[in-house]
Amino acid sequence: ADPGGAAGADEPTVEFGCSSVEATATAEIAAFYTGTLVIPVSIKIKPGSDEPAINLASAGVIPVAILSSPTFDATQVVPSSVSLAGAKVRLIGKAGRYSCSFDDVNGDGRLDLMCHVETAAFFLEPGESMAVLEAETFDGRAIRGQETVRIVP
């Protein structure tokens, strides 16, 4: 293959887009080639809100829940590893404790991990965007979840 030229008709190409299907496929392709299994998880940004909106001008935090399921235990997620659209979990107090707690957010009887991330650190454009959460578990497994949010400038 010619690294500087256009791909030929018989050469495979991969296009990276921003739709949820393409983003999921991209993560799966990356996991396949790196040998790392990325566990898909369910998340809820601003639990209790049907259509979460984020005001980038606010200097606050946004709650995001990583939901447990019959096959995934959110209490095993390392709080310091959580990032949502590039924003890390807020540190609180002099000891620098991460602003995360366990709660049954969706009423299914399982503890979920609720964290608060800094609004000012988001890497999202105004309008409707896909916010991607990435983290890892205490045993080193990568996790990934996503939800559509409306970004207000």
Side-chain angles (χ1 to χ4, degrees):
D2 177 12
D10 60 343
E11 294 180 15
T13 61
V14 177
E15 293 183 20
F16 296 94
C18 59
S19 77
S20 61
V21 172
E22 290 167 335
T24 301
T26 301
E28 291 171 356
I29 291 168
F32 176 78
Y33 284 108
T34 63
T36 304
L37 175 64
V38 177
I39 300 168
V41 297
S42 295
I43 66 170
K44 184 64 184 155
I45 299 168
K46 296 179 85 171
S49 173
D50 289 334
E51 296 180 17
I54 299 172
N55 183 343
L56 295 180
S58 76
V61 294
I62 297 294
V64 59
I66 301 172
L67 304 177
S68 288
S69 71
T71 59
F72 179 75
D73 182 1
T75 67
Q76 296 304 302
V77 174
V78 178
S80 64
S81 72
V82 175
S83 72
L84 177 66
K88 290 292 200 176
V89 174
R90 176 185 219 167
L91 291 172
I92 53 176
K94 291 181 181 179
R97 189 174 63 85
Y98 290 94
S99 181
C100 294
S101 60
F102 299 110
D103 190 18
D104 182 6
V105 174
N106 56 356
D108 66 355
R110 296 179 182 91
L111 287 178
D112 307 306
L113 179 63
M114 173 74 82
C115 294
H116 294 86
V117 295
E118 302 280 350
T119 307
F122 279 125
F123 292 115
L124 294 172
E125 295 295 322
E128 191 172 282
S129 292
M130 184 64 65
V132 176
L133 179 139
E134 296 178 313
E136 72 176 44
T137 60
F138 287 110
D139 62 0
R141 296 179 297 157
I143 66 167
R144 185 177 190 280
Q146 59 191 30
E147 184 177 15
T148 301
V149 294
R150 187 171 43 86
I151 303 300
V152 179

